[in-house]
């Protein structure tokens, strides 16, 4: 497994197939592996309001929430509507635009870039398969640990099957040959995700299934702090002042919402 942070492949999510799907609010949209295998992407659910399975995850959130790979923003909007401090990040301009239009604070940014409030978020979300971002779940978990406050909570969704793979894929909307670039992606079922989590000092604190979707809540050990995390936290005030959306304060509380 890589010991460095992998590229997040943002160019792939700024291509027309993804933007077209979000503008319509529906698919078809797939991740296509190089061998031709297709993974359907549930654009209709992403563009709808948060459902009961989503709410089962959001109810477990603690403190201010950062939704990593927020897509069209249903989770951030649901949190904001309930008065919860939340921010969505995504590399897609179309996703950020839609999130903001439905009332969700959002910032166009990769999780592997500097983020507002690093080291002070109460909860991070990796939902809708976003544990696959960057193609290296272990490195992604390490990065999320730097974004969260010590003892912070990660709520993540596992693949519905016992799978553990890192592959190259591209976006495909079924319109024939496309120029969308390939990028690294991963899928991890519950067992694989737990194994990755324990290797990065995450403690499983909850596990449940809702509407056939498996979720895990993981807590970062309070004593684990990497060199990069300490540096990011020290610089977070400057990051916040320059990069936080204007409707959010840079002083992020760790308790309450």
């Amino acid at each position: 497994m890589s010991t460095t942070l992998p590229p997040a492949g943002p160019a792939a999510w700024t291509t027309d197939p993804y933007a077209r799907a979000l503008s319509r609010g529906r698919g078809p949209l797939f991740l296509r592996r190089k061998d031709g295998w297709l993974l359907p992407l549930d654009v209709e659910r992403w563009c709808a309001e948060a459902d009961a399975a989503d709410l089962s995850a959001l109810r477990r959130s603690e403190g201010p929430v950062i939704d990593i790979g927020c897509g069209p923003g249903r989770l951030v909007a649901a949190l904001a509507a309930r008065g919860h401090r939340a921010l969505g990040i995504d590399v897609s301009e179309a996703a950020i635009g839609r999130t903001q239009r439905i009332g969700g604070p959002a910032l166009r940014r990769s999780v592997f870039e500097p983020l507002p409030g690093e080291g002070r978020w109460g909860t991070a979300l990796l939902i809708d398969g976003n544990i696959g971002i960057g193609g290296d779940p272990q490195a992604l978990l390490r990065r999320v640990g730097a974004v969260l406050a010590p003892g912070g909570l990660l709520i993540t969704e596992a693949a519905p099957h016992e799978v553990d793979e890192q592959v190259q894929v591209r976006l495909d909307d079924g319109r024939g040959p496309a120029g969308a670039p390939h990028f690294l992606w991963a899928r991890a079922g519950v067992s694989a995700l737990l194994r990755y989590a324990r290797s990065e000092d995450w403690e499983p604190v909850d596990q449940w299934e809702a509407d056939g979707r498996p979720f895990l809540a993981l807590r970062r050990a309070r004593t684990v702090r990497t060199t990069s995390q300490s540096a990011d936290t020290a610089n977070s005030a400057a990051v916040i002042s320059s990069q936080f959306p204007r409707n959010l304060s840079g002083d992020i509380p760790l308790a309450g919402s």
Side-chain angles (χ1 to χ4, degrees):
M1 192 62 64
S2 172
T3 57
T4 59
L5 295 179
W13 297 95
T14 61
T15 55
D16 284 345
Y18 188 57
R20 281 197 299 265
L22 294 192
S23 68
R24 297 192 308 261
R26 66 181 188 276
L29 189 66
F30 307 91
L31 291 182
R32 177 184 286 273
R33 255 182 356 206
K34 284 190 170 182
D35 63 5
W37 176 90
L38 294 174
L39 175 67
L41 300 179
D42 199 350
V43 178
E44 290 85 351
R45 179 170 61 79
W46 296 353
C47 291
E49 293 185 356
D51 60 20
D54 297 326
L55 295 177
S56 75
L58 300 187
R59 282 195 296 269
R60 290 166 164 84
S61 298
E62 303 171 357
V65 180
I66 184 166
D67 183 8
I68 297 167
C70 66
R74 73 187 191 283
L75 303 181
V76 180
L79 287 165
R82 289 159 175 77
H84 207 109
R85 299 285 306 274
L87 175 70
I89 62 166
D90 203 288
V91 297
S92 164
E93 183 176 358
I96 292 302
R98 185 168 179 130
T99 299
Q100 293 173 340
R101 286 193 296 274
I102 64 173
L107 187 66
R108 188 178 180 188
R109 195 66 49 82
S110 164
V111 66
F112 297 110
E113 296 175 326
L115 296 174
E118 293 209 12
R120 293 193 284 159
W121 291 97
T123 300
L125 302 178
L126 283 171
I127 308 297
D128 298 330
N130 282 338
I131 190 64
I133 291 172
D136 187 340
Q138 188 171 345
L140 179 58
L141 288 169
R142 189 179 312 131
R143 172 61 179 146
V144 173
V147 171
L148 284 172
L153 190 69
L154 168 62
I155 299 176
T156 184
E157 183 176 351
H161 310 291
E162 288 300 347
V163 62
D164 181 10
E165 67 173 8
Q166 294 82 46
V167 294
Q168 290 193 30
V169 296
R170 65 173 174 83
L171 288 163
D172 188 337
D173 60 3
R175 295 192 175 196
H182 283 88
F183 58 97
L184 293 174
W185 194 253
R187 292 196 303 151
V190 170
S191 296
L193 187 46
L194 285 171
R195 185 172 66 253
Y196 288 125
R198 292 188 177 106
S199 72
E200 290 297 322
D201 297 306
W202 291 90
E203 178 187 357
V205 294
D206 201 357
Q207 180 177 334
W208 72 100
E209 186 172 303
D211 195 24
R213 296 165 59 192
F215 296 90
L216 292 170
L218 308 167
R219 194 173 298 282
R220 185 69 162 172
R222 291 183 180 273
T223 56
V224 174
R225 295 186 64 80
T226 65
T227 301
S228 61
Q229 182 179 5
S230 299
D232 289 337
T233 302
N235 293 328
S236 63
V239 172
I240 291 168
S241 64
S242 63
Q243 297 169 352
F244 228 70
R246 291 183 179 180
N247 61 335
L248 287 180
S249 167
D251 185 15
I252 305 169
L254 292 184
S257 59

